[in-house]
Amino acid sequence: EAGVAQSPRYKIIEKRQSVAFWCNPISGHATLYWYQQILGQGPKLLIQFQNNGVVDDSQLPKDRFSAERLKGVDSTLKIQPAKLEDSAVYLCASSRLQGRSTGELFFGEGSRLTVL
Amino acid sequence: GENVEQHPSTLSVQEGDSAVIKCTYSDSASNYFPWYKQELGKGPQLIIDIRSNVGEKKDQRIAVTLNKTAKHFSLHITETQPEDSAVYFCAARPQIYNFNKFYFGSGTKLNVKP
């Protein structure tokens, strides 16, 4: 089974520029998450999709961050304009629906963003 | 919302010794508690989990204990090996029908010295 794919792995931009990250979840996983992981901290949920609908975006800074999941599969996370404090690793994860599954999260390797 | 606290933030042990990482949670509705291991440059990977109807679970050198009354759970690694060196995260998931929302601790960096 192929894992969660993310790209790019690394990105360096200047503040006020824009950046986009892409995620392809595990096939058949209905739920997709974007987490922000600042150095030395645990992952913090930015947005959660179930199929192509948003379940939770309460922690997403909507003035600069946006995300979409077209056709309930791939997802993109965009930051525009970027700030210095956006420097972090952006992790995408996916899981099956609850019910009989454990709801285990499967993470991608992350996209490391450096804002100068 | 749920708040998960994790201690210690760093832990250094000698190869062969045991390591214990502790987490507390605040939401009594949390019913699922996974532990993730994150190696350098990689995403977190599930190593063991426990549900709220179980007090302890073991998988070879790794065990997790849960005290629902005190709202804390712990990861125990015995006979540590250098390849156990990584950052470990605990997480808690409140019972929300059909939605999977996880709250993570701040992580413990485990260093196993050969």
Side-chain angles (χ1 to χ4, degrees), chain A residues 1-115:
Chain A
E1 177 176 68
V4 176
Q6 288 190 247
S7 67
R9 288 294 313 277
Y10 306 94
K11 190 75 177 178
I12 301 174
I13 61 173
E14 307 241 332
K15 59 183 179 184
R16 290 187 289 273
Q17 286 186 324
S18 63
V19 63
F21 302 113
W22 172 83
C23 173
N24 180 239
I26 292 173
S27 177
H29 281 194
T31 311
L32 184 147
Y33 314 73
W34 283 102
Y35 284 89
Q36 181 191 57
Q37 187 176 25
I38 292 172
L39 189 64
Q41 298 182 18
K44 179 185 117 180
L45 181 68
L46 291 175
I47 188 166
Q48 179 177 342
F49 293 93
Q50 187 144 305
N51 297 308
N52 58 350
V54 175
V55 170
D56 187 338
D57 63 356
S58 57
Q59 301 272 62
L60 188 73
K62 296 180 185 64
D63 57 334
R64 298 183 300 104
F65 285 65
S66 65
E68 60 181 6
R69 188 181 185 195
L70 299 175
K71 299 179 183 177
V73 182
D74 293 7
S75 177
T76 55
L77 176 71
K78 296 179 182 177
I79 308 173
Q80 181 180 13
K83 291 186 175 182
L84 296 177
E85 58 260 37
D86 298 332
S87 293
V89 175
Y90 291 86
L91 292 166
C92 180
S94 68
S95 71
R96 298 183 184 91
L97 279 175
Q98 263 183 260
R100 291 190 176 185
S101 75
T102 61
E104 176 185 349
L105 288 180
F106 293 83
F107 283 91
E109 294 198 317
S111 295
R112 180 178 296 276
L113 173 65
T114 303
V115 182

Side-chain angles (χ1 to χ4, degrees), chain B:
Chain B
E2 173 65 279
N3 181 44
V4 179
E5 296 192 356
Q6 183 171 346
H7 301 279
S9 56
T10 59
L11 180 59
S12 192
V13 300
Q14 207 66 40
E15 181 179 358
D17 287 351
S18 295
V20 180
I21 302 170
K22 298 182 179 181
C23 288
T24 61
Y25 62 98
S26 60
D27 191 342
S28 55
S30 287
N31 66 347
Y32 175 62
F33 307 91
W35 285 88
Y36 285 83
K37 176 183 181 183
Q38 186 174 29
E39 296 175 336
L40 200 61
K42 296 191 175 181
Q45 187 171 16
L46 179 73
I47 55 170
I48 195 167
D49 56 14
I50 191 167
R51 294 187 176 276
S52 58
N53 58 349
V54 174
E56 184 173 357
K57 184 177 177 180
K58 199 171 181 179
D59 182 5
Q60 299 182 342
R61 296 186 297 108
I62 295 173
V64 57
T65 59
L66 171 65
N67 183 327
K68 278 172 40 181
T69 305
K71 293 197 193 118
H72 66 71
F73 55 113
S74 300
L75 177 71
H76 304 254
I77 306 174
T78 57
E79 301 171 25
T80 53
Q81 300 166 3
E83 51 264 39
D84 294 330
S85 296
V87 179
Y88 292 80
F89 292 98
C90 62
R93 185 190 72 190
Q95 175 66 51
I96 305 172
Y97 177 70
N98 223 27
F99 298 138
N100 246 0
K101 183 167 182 177
F102 292 85
Y103 296 85
F104 284 85
S106 53
T108 297
K109 185 173 183 180
L110 174 64
N111 178 34
V112 180
K113 294 178 284 187

